[in-house]
Amino acid sequence: MTPSRWAFGLCILFALATTLLTLAFGTPPEPAVPLHSGFSTPILALEFATQVAHLDFLQGEAGAEMRDYIRHVQFIDVFFPIAYAGMAACLFLGMAMRGNIFAVLGVGLAVATIVADWQENATIDDILDEVENPHCNAQTVPDDQAGDPVLRDCLSDEVFENAPPALELASFVFDSFLPIRIEFLREDTWIKWALMATYAVLLSALLWFSGRPVWHEWRRWLAVPPALAAFAICLTWLTGSNGHVAEIMSILLIPFMLTFPAAAVMYFLAKPKGSRKKGTR
């Protein structure tokens, strides 16, 4: 079997892994309080949070079950980026082996998405840790500063041993690191989504221009889902992470993700250009 077909075959295997891991996420519990900004999916509501109030569904005893669910998702999400981004990387790699040099860029973008997703997960873990174990609580706040909005004195020296400068600076302003962690999460989240939108646009362009200029060419039809997904991601950003728009975006990601195995099967079965004259790639 040719190297390009190995790449397309791996894309299909990664697609199966992506499906299994998606099913492993399970069904989230009912939020103790309504999710913010029109969200109906807890993990999206967390990823697109912009203020501490948006984390109310995770706070306190009422949010314990939801936090457990998010921890479960976080564990699976160590492997999930490898699956969905690996799927994309293998398709782009196979296309590059078939002579499309621009597809090499897609391989790099897909691999970068894995790192970005892991960084986002690390920030979410920090948020969950602080929600469950607040630095400032009844035991750490001095009695004479109970009403003081600046509570750096309630934070122990250990908190700052490995703290980045931004967190140390924030401690003079907040009685919690959550506001700055949410800002970190916003940046991490949009780096990930920007990378996905970029390789969605690239995939759409590669599929569109690689097909024959007729309406029924299958590659041109496959170019539509990634274009819609990229548009939805951009619209979510332009609307300030609006929950209603983000939920529609998450739905449009499904046909986008299905484009990879569908294209891989098509490319796997198709004969490479010039294969009869020069041999297959």
Side-chain angles (χ1 to χ4, degrees), residues 20-33:
L20 292 174
L21 290 172
T22 300
L23 294 174
F25 285 139
T27 303
E30 190 68 25
V33 298

Side-chain angles (χ1 to χ4, degrees), residues 2 6 10 36 56 90 93 121 132 172 187 191 209 214 222 241 260 269:
T2 61
W6 275 110
L10 284 173
H36 67 94
D56 285 350
C90 287
L93 181 60
N121 289 343
E132 293 175 347
F172 286 99
E187 294 174 0
I191 289 173
F209 291 108
V214 290
L222 285 178
S241 302
F260 291 100
L269 297 176

Side-chain angles (χ1 to χ4, degrees), residues 103-145:
V104 175
L105 178 60
V107 177
L109 289 168
V111 172
T113 304
I114 298 175
V115 179
D117 204 324
W118 283 344
Q119 177 57 49
E120 179 191 52
N121 289 343
T123 304
I124 290 175
D125 284 337
D126 289 340
I127 289 174
L128 292 174
D129 289 342
E130 185 166 351
V131 167
E132 293 175 347
N133 300 289
H135 295 302
C136 292
N137 52 54
Q139 286 72 43
T140 57
V141 177
D143 293 336
D144 59 347
Q145 288 187 288

